[in-house]
Amino acid sequence: MTALVGARVFDGERFLDDCAVIIEGGRIAAVVPYAQRPRAGGERDLGGGLLAPGFVDVQVNGGGGALMHDDPSAAVVARIAESHRKFGSVGVMPTLVTDAPEKTRAAIAATRAARRSHPSVLGIHLEGPFLDPTRKGAHQAKYVRAIEPADVETIVGADCGAVMVTVAPNRVAPDVIRRLVARGALVSLGHAEASYEEAQAGLAAGAQAFTHLFNAMSPLQGRRPGMVGAALDSREAYVGVIADGHHVHPASLRVAFAAKSRDRIMLITDAMPPAADGPDSFLLQDRRVARVDGCLRLEDGTIAGSTLTMDEAVRYCVATVGLPLADALRMASRVPATFLRRGDDLGRIAPGYLASLVHLDDALRVRETWVEGEPALAEAAA
């Protein structure tokens, strides 16, 4: 049993002062007033700052120099998870961009293997290949294709934790979305020049989210609401947002935060190898991607993922967008955990929840993380 003391606590709902978080067996046993803490077992004085639920990132392609697509192996998946852990992410969904079917199968197998020893690997996000080539972004058109029955079986039979798949609602029929959802997949709509009506049909079939809101999707216009309009209009759909100052203007983020319930907005990174202390350039399917003024771009100028980490996204939302800290922390932890159907054991500091936590200093920089009670210092993140 270990008592964490000396820091303010955000429990996922509210801020608590002068309390102790009791960890036992990888879970939170209790949250009690400091004076009532148990005297048996160890005690850690965190020396100030804020203890919060650890961050959950549902879209992370790479980090620390590693890329899921480049080498879909258990070692690379583990490296991605470990590199982002230094920056507060206690749960990640390694993400594969559009490619051939054999690459998808390899990525699923790698994720399955990594999960055996890395509980922060929560599953896999397949971003394609069932997209609309007119909104492909950095995805390669030669790999974009229609979904086949064999693809459905591959997705629903992945057996690697949560399985999230991004599809274009004007390219994947509602009946197919319905089959995926009925068998446990989390379907997100994205990378499409789809109409509002087509997006609504996808939601009616069971799609639960929109991938990186505003990016690679039909925009909101007065007489054509598009995918952005469908996302903002839906009360139930989750949306992922890349809050890095490059993908979305802060005013657009404020509009989204005003339109959507805060319990349906997830901060995501869409991180690539340069994120989390990685190099400034890398190859994505034999195409050079480089960091230019903090933004990752292909040689033709197309944005190709980000260098973002989740702690940076939280700081940006608070300092630049003007979001209350509690909302930003929820969007980075509790909301994505709930979307992944892990809301009963991740995203809260409460009895019975996993002790997957992040300790932030007063500038909201990461001091330390815990994954299921196991600590890891984060000096490199400071």
Side-chain angles (χ1 to χ4, degrees):
M1 181 183 293
T2 301
L4 300 180
V5 302
R8 197 179 195 202
V9 172
F10 178 70
D11 69 359
E13 290 284 344
R14 56 190 176 141
F15 292 96
L16 305 172
D17 293 303
D18 298 319
C19 66
V21 176
I22 313 303
I23 298 174
E24 186 173 13
R27 291 187 179 267
I28 296 168
V31 181
V32 299
Y34 177 77
Q36 298 177 21
R37 70 196 187 282
R39 301 310 171 105
E43 182 170 300
R44 279 278 313 276
D45 188 336
L46 300 179
L50 178 68
L51 187 67
F55 306 140
V56 176
D57 189 354
V58 306
Q59 188 167 350
V60 53
N61 308 277
L67 178 64
M68 171 73 149
H69 180 275
D70 186 50
D71 178 10
S73 65
V76 164
V77 171
R79 183 176 169 189
I80 292 169
E82 290 166 359
S83 67
H84 282 275
R85 180 176 174 175
K86 293 185 301 183
F87 298 88
S89 292
V90 301
V92 297
M93 292 282 281
T95 300
L96 183 72
V97 300
T98 294
D99 207 301
E102 55 267 26
K103 186 64 70 77
T104 298
R105 291 192 291 270
I108 289 172
T111 302
R112 186 186 306 122
R115 278 176 49 79
R116 297 188 185 112
S117 55
H118 289 78
S120 59
V121 178
L122 304 182
I124 192 169
H125 180 174
L126 302 173
E127 191 184 2
F130 320 115
L131 310 178
D132 179 350
T134 63
R135 288 282 185 173
K136 62 182 177 55
H139 294 244
Q140 285 198 295
K142 67 180 181 180
Y143 293 118
V144 173
R145 60 186 177 84
I147 194 168
E148 302 289 343
D151 298 313
V152 173
E153 293 305 314
T154 296
I155 293 166
V156 300
D159 188 28
C160 62
V163 178
M164 178 180 177
V165 57
T166 294
V167 305
N170 58 336
R171 303 272 293 184
V172 176
D175 283 350
V176 176
I177 293 174
R178 195 171 290 111
R179 289 202 297 275
L180 287 166
V181 172
R183 297 181 63 183
L186 293 161
V187 176
S188 186
L189 307 179
H191 281 280
E193 189 60 36
S195 67
Y196 171 87
E197 290 76 16
E198 288 168 327
Q200 287 286 85
L203 294 175
Q208 301 101 323
F210 288 81
T211 296
H212 44 51
L213 181 68
F214 295 112
N215 298 115
M217 62 177 62
S218 47
L220 170 63
Q221 297 177 323
R223 291 184 295 277
R224 295 179 180 177
M227 288 186 68
V228 171
L232 298 181
D233 189 42
S234 171
R235 292 187 176 182
E236 296 301 321
Y238 291 82
V239 298
V241 295
I242 308 172
D244 66 349
H246 300 288
H247 282 76
V248 185
H249 193 283
S252 297
L253 287 177
R254 283 190 285 271
V255 169
F257 294 159
K260 291 287 292 184
S261 171
R262 302 289 170 86
D263 66 358
R264 289 295 184 271
I265 302 173
M266 305 181 289
L267 299 183
I268 62 171
T269 65
D270 200 13
M272 288 289 185
D277 295 331
D280 284 334
S281 65
F282 65 101
L283 292 179
L284 177 63
Q285 296 169 316
D286 298 321
R287 298 168 298 162
R288 184 173 184 269
V289 180
R291 190 194 315 245
V292 180
D293 296 328
C295 184
L296 294 181
R297 295 185 184 274
L298 294 169
E299 291 182 343
D300 66 2
T302 301
I303 293 179
S306 86
T307 66
L308 192 64
T309 54
M310 288 292 278
D311 63 323
E312 290 177 320
V314 168
R315 291 196 297 271
Y316 182 84
C317 284
V318 173
T320 301
V321 182
L323 200 64
L325 176 58
D327 286 342
L329 291 171
R330 276 191 289 264
M331 291 177 184
S333 57
R334 185 178 175 187
V335 178
T338 302
F339 167 69
L340 294 176
R341 306 185 184 118
R342 294 291 301 271
D344 59 348
D345 67 352
L346 278 175
R348 294 284 307 277
I349 297 180
Y353 278 73
L354 291 170
S356 293
L357 313 168
V358 61
H359 180 211
L360 304 168
D361 66 17
D362 292 339
L364 302 180
R365 295 186 179 276
V366 177
R367 286 185 176 177
E368 189 171 0
T369 59
W370 294 259
V371 174
E372 298 190 7
E374 291 297 321
L377 296 176
E379 293 91 344

